[in-house]
Amino acid sequence: MQSIVVYCGSNSGNKAVYAEAAYSVGAELAKRNIKLIYGGGNMGLMGRVADGAMENQGFVTGIIPNFLAKLENAHKTLSELHFVETMHERKAKMVAMSDGVIALPGGYGTFDELFEILTWSQLRIFNGPVGLLNVNGYYDFLLMQLDKMVEEGFLRTDNLKLLVVADEAGTLLEKMDDYRQKNPENKPLDSSLYVDNN
């Protein structure tokens, strides 16, 4: 993989372990020479994942909507920073530039991005690996809910397997690479399908 999108919170959470994990993801991507693509902010876990990559000589691309750049502080030391108009354009552009996706702990926005990319994977629009870093058991109940969805007939077992899960950054990246090797037809997303250019 040459580039990975990271979804995560613009808050740091109540425990230091979350910020530490975010930094380790950025550092691990830099170590493996994988470009980090993320939401462009400098706060919370978003800022820490970018710092982890930049402070370990990684390449970081931030993508942030203009209205959010006025509300949040855009990271000033990234390799490149793109400004877009809408959240939809931001999400499509991030994924179009990536070979895979990782979700760290976060709130509504992170869950929205995670389930959208899983839906795109289910529909075979996006064929890269989707990873979930289950830091401190943060996603334990979500994983139980996914099992419940299979049990109740709302999610197929093969689609449950679209989500790659680990609790440590290096292990997750290895599992994602293994997933990609077993599913080699990794096509970039045609972002024109999701961006209103009118």
Side-chain angles (χ1 to χ4, degrees):
M1 293 178 289
Q2 296 181 347
S3 57
I4 288 180
V5 169
V6 173
Y7 301 141
C8 59
S10 57
N11 293 312
S12 296
N14 296 328
K15 299 181 176 70
V17 66
Y18 298 121
E20 292 165 2
Y23 187 92
S24 74
V25 168
E28 193 67 32
L29 292 175
K31 173 183 166 184
R32 295 169 186 250
N33 200 30
I34 299 172
K35 179 192 293 187
L36 165 65
I37 301 166
Y38 87 116
N42 70 354
M43 299 187 299
L45 300 192
M46 291 176 69
R48 291 307 291 155
V49 72
D51 291 342
M54 292 298 296
E55 291 173 10
N56 288 277
Q57 294 74 54
F59 191 97
V60 181
T61 297
I63 302 172
I64 191 167
N66 287 314
F67 80 92
L68 267 187
K70 296 173 185 176
L71 299 174
E72 302 175 357
N73 291 322
H75 206 296
K76 304 297 185 187
T77 62
L78 304 180
S79 308
E80 57 184 15
L81 182 62
H82 300 273
F83 293 93
V84 295
E85 290 303 317
T86 68
M87 293 292 283
H88 291 294
E89 186 180 356
R90 176 203 220 178
K91 291 191 287 185
K93 188 175 183 69
M94 288 168 71
V95 175
M97 297 175 71
S98 76
D99 300 317
V101 170
I102 292 175
L104 300 177
Y108 284 151
T110 302
F111 276 66
D112 168 60
E113 291 166 325
L114 172 62
F115 279 103
E116 182 171 63
I117 198 62
L118 284 171
T119 302
W120 291 359
S121 295
Q122 181 176 270
L123 297 172
R124 305 300 186 258
I125 296 167
F126 179 72
N127 296 309
V130 179
L132 189 70
L133 192 66
N134 190 22
V135 181
N136 195 43
Y138 183 78
Y139 285 114
D140 285 353
F141 289 107
L142 173 62
L143 296 172
M144 290 171 62
Q145 177 61 40
L146 296 179
D147 288 336
K148 183 68 172 176
M149 291 160 68
V150 172
E151 179 185 332
E152 298 295 335
F154 289 100
L155 181 65
R156 288 174 17 198
T157 302
D158 57 339
N159 288 329
L160 177 63
K161 293 177 181 176
L162 293 171
L163 185 62
V164 179
V165 183
D167 57 11
E168 188 273 326
T171 303
L172 182 60
L173 286 167
E174 288 166 13
K175 291 174 77 170
M176 290 173 67
D177 192 52
D178 183 60
Y179 175 97
R180 192 160 186 254
Q181 290 180 34
K182 291 176 180 175
N183 301 272
E185 293 187 16
N186 185 45
K187 305 170 197 171
L189 177 70
D190 180 2
S191 60
S192 66
L193 298 172
Y194 301 94
V195 179
D196 184 0
N197 294 313
N198 296 323

